[in-house]
Amino acid sequence: MMFVMNRPGSRRKRSKGDLTSQAILDTAEQLLETKSLDEIAVDELTSGAGISRSTFYFHFESREAVLYALSERVAEGLYDSAALWLRRGSEPPAESIRRAISGTVALWRAHGPVLRAAVRARDTSEMVRGFWSEVARKFIESTAQQIEIERDAGVAVAGPPSARALATVLVSMNETMCYSLSLGRKSAARDREVVETLTAVWLRSVYGVPQ
Amino acid sequence: MMFVMNRPGSRRKRSKGDLTSQAILDTAEQLLETKSLDEIAVDELTSGAGISRSTFYFHFESREAVLYALSERVAEGLYDSAALWLRRGSEPPAESIRRAISGTVALWRAHGPVLRAAVRARDTSEMVRGFWSEVARKFIESTAQQIEIERDAGVAVAGPPSARALATVLVSMNETMCYSLSLGRKSAARDREVVETLTAVWLRSVYGVPQ
DNA sequence: GAAATTATTCGACACGGTGTCGAGTGAGCA
DNA sequence: TGCTCACTCGACACCGTGTCGAATAATTTC
């Protein structure tokens, strides 16, 4: 189901090492459903992958490096979701915002454990922090840009707060809510409520209230 | 500067054990300014307090228990801050909300390291989670109550989202922003910007936009 | 104020996890 | 066939944790 590519375009056959790396990553993703990253011992990872503990260090530098690799698996989907922030044509704002938020929630539902571990590791691992702050930057950037477009068009309420500050708060808010939502049992009703609430806050904060 | 009381009303003299517990707590709070809780080894705590490592376990069950005790030190101030959520008399909403948010930001500035450690430990330690979810509950509860009062008075925009769902999102948002704000260098300008932005989101989400 | 009790401290120990090293092993290729 | 390089392994040194029982300091009891 999941896989890591060799360098793009490489026709090199999947080597044995790739397979073990894969097995480690799969085991890690599975274990993260139960425990946090630093509760996972290296030998849990390797016994799950059918190799000895020391072999782990041939494939990864550390547990954090595993998380980094897992993050890359998810990042692609995240960027797709980011593209949704940009409003399409004449569609009303409520629709595009709801759709974008729905997409983010769905992604957190699909990869909650990895995303939560990544968020937590931001405070710990320089490597992970760099990666995810870049992701966050793109989200915030495109949101701020969109807010500015709407303000220039006279559709959105003017600042202060600046488009950038507002975008930062809104994006962080989404992340926080997705994090805590993904901790609970999967529930379509709860998902819908969160999407509705977040959408309402976005709309009111950016556009004001529809009378 | 900081101290822990014996049972209230007890006139028992400060025992030696109380003093070492204190020293451990003070050392912990100081170390948290630099490292996260699980980067702090027990012997860093005890050497800071001038005792041997094993003596630590006489005073605390674990590192998490230390954090719990530190949380209690801060909790009081937090409840004072919570009381501010409730709007005072005829004061305009913008004022009371800005004042409440300012209070929270100030508290995070004063005790950022402890509060951050506590937030992180929520996912790890049952004890810490219980304590802080109770704190969060009170914040959310009183906010939701206030939103309902304003809605009934026709001042705030009606739901959905429900007062409770809206309150949850807004309170979490504040926490998240305070967390990341307290990570950066102390800056009055930045503080002001964050307070303004959060206030704006609260006002627009609860009351709608002033034309 | 001496004896008994309780509070506090300590060093030693067993345990479990980490990361490294050098010695294998084996698959593919010249 | 033999070389090379990717891969694997067990052994080892290290570090932090948590527990135990013995030693000592403080406090209470008589």
Side-chain angles (χ1 to χ4, degrees):
Chain A
M1 187 213 281
M2 289 162 278
F3 63 99
V4 168
M5 288 180 293
N6 294 330
R7 313 190 195 299
S10 155
R11 193 144 306 217
R12 187 167 63 99
K13 169 172 135 204
R14 192 78 65 77
S15 73
K16 192 172 177 215
D18 284 340
L19 292 179
T20 19
S21 293
Q22 264 329 299
I24 291 173
L25 289 175
D26 290 336
T27 310
E29 183 150 16
Q30 185 202 323
L31 285 173
L32 279 174
E33 281 162 27
T34 314
K35 339 176 148 194
S36 77
L37 186 64
D38 34 40
E39 287 167 344
I40 297 176
V42 169
D43 68 358
E44 294 180 273
L45 256 28
T46 52
S47 70
I51 55 175
S52 90
R53 198 180 63 85
S54 55
T55 299
F56 171 85
Y57 295 96
F58 178 80
H59 296 277
F60 297 96
E61 190 189 330
S62 63
R63 267 171 4 295
E64 279 78 31
V66 172
L67 182 58
Y68 184 90
L70 284 177
S71 298
E72 286 183 321
R73 286 185 173 188
V74 181
E76 199 176 334
L78 215 40
Y79 284 130
D80 292 349
S81 173
L84 290 176
W85 295 116
L86 295 165
R87 184 163 152 215
R88 288 264 152 260
S90 60
E91 186 183 33
E95 289 316 308
S96 61
I97 287 181
R98 192 191 323 278
R99 189 157 39 83
I101 290 177
S102 273
T104 306
V105 166
L107 197 120
W108 276 79
R109 278 295 188 200
H111 299 282
V114 171
L115 288 165
R116 286 199 305 276
V119 167
R120 302 202 96 238
R122 269 193 314 216
D123 284 7
T124 309
S125 156
E126 186 53 50
M127 185 170 51
V128 173
R129 169 164 51 249
F131 182 79
W132 286 103
S133 76
E134 183 55 20
V135 173
R137 202 192 54 74
K138 285 187 182 161
F139 265 80
I140 290 170
E141 216 64 30
S142 71
T143 302
Q145 193 180 319
Q146 186 59 23
I147 290 175
E148 259 155 15
I149 291 173
E150 305 283 46
R151 282 181 175 177
D152 290 348
V155 187
V157 286
S162 72
R164 187 128 213 311
L166 185 55
T168 303
V169 167
L170 293 175
V171 169
S172 311
M173 173 183 77
N174 282 11
E175 183 194 281
T176 301
M177 290 308 292
C178 285
Y179 185 108
S180 85
L181 181 65
S182 83
L183 281 171
R185 267 229 155 284
K186 205 162 282 193
S187 149
R190 177 97 186 92
D191 288 5
R192 216 174 315 117
E193 187 188 30
V194 168
V195 170
E196 281 320 304
T197 307
L198 291 175
T199 303
V201 173
W202 276 68
L203 286 174
R204 294 178 188 179
S205 301
V206 175
Y207 297 96
V209 179
Q211 51 285 22
Chain B
M1 187 213 282
M2 289 160 278
F3 62 97
V4 168
M5 288 181 292
N6 294 329
R7 313 188 194 302
S10 156
R11 191 146 305 217
R12 188 167 62 98
K13 170 170 134 204
R14 193 78 65 74
S15 72
K16 191 173 178 214
D18 284 341
L19 292 178
T20 23
S21 293
Q22 265 328 300
I24 291 173
L25 289 174
D26 290 336
T27 309
E29 183 151 16
Q30 184 202 323
L31 285 173
L32 279 174
E33 280 162 28
T34 315
K35 339 175 147 194
S36 76
L37 186 64
D38 34 40
E39 286 168 344
I40 297 177
V42 169
D43 68 0
E44 295 181 272
L45 256 29
T46 52
S47 69
I51 54 175
S52 92
R53 197 181 64 84
S54 55
T55 299
F56 171 85
Y57 295 96
F58 178 80
H59 296 277
F60 296 96
E61 190 188 329
S62 63
R63 268 175 359 298
E64 279 78 30
V66 172
L67 182 58
Y68 184 89
L70 284 178
S71 299
E72 287 184 320
R73 286 183 173 191
V74 180
E76 199 175 335
L78 215 40
Y79 284 130
D80 291 350
S81 172
L84 290 177
W85 296 116
L86 295 165
R87 183 161 152 220
R88 288 263 153 261
S90 59
E91 187 183 31
E95 290 316 309
S96 62
I97 286 181
R98 191 191 324 278
R99 188 155 41 82
I101 290 177
S102 273
T104 305
V105 165
L107 198 121
W108 276 80
R109 277 295 188 201
H111 298 282
V114 171
L115 287 165
R116 286 199 305 275
V119 166
R120 303 202 95 239
R122 269 194 312 217
D123 284 6
T124 307
S125 154
E126 186 52 53
M127 184 170 51
V128 173
R129 169 164 50 250
F131 183 78
W132 287 102
S133 75
E134 183 56 20
V135 173
R137 201 191 54 74
K138 285 186 183 163
F139 265 80
I140 291 170
E141 214 64 28
S142 70
T143 302
Q145 193 179 320
Q146 186 58 23
I147 291 175
E148 259 156 15
I149 290 174
E150 306 283 46
R151 282 182 175 177
D152 289 348
V155 187
V157 286
S162 72
R164 186 130 212 311
L166 184 54
T168 302
V169 167
L170 293 175
V171 169
S172 311
M173 173 184 77
N174 282 12
E175 183 193 281
T176 301
M177 290 307 292
C178 286
Y179 185 108
S180 86
L181 181 65
S182 82
L183 281 172
R185 266 229 155 284
K186 205 161 285 194
S187 148
R190 178 95 187 92
D191 288 5
R192 215 174 314 115
E193 186 188 32
V194 169
V195 169
E196 281 320 304
T197 308
L198 291 175
T199 303
V201 173
W202 276 68
L203 285 174
R204 293 178 189 178
S205 301
V206 175
Y207 299 96
V209 180
Q211 52 285 24

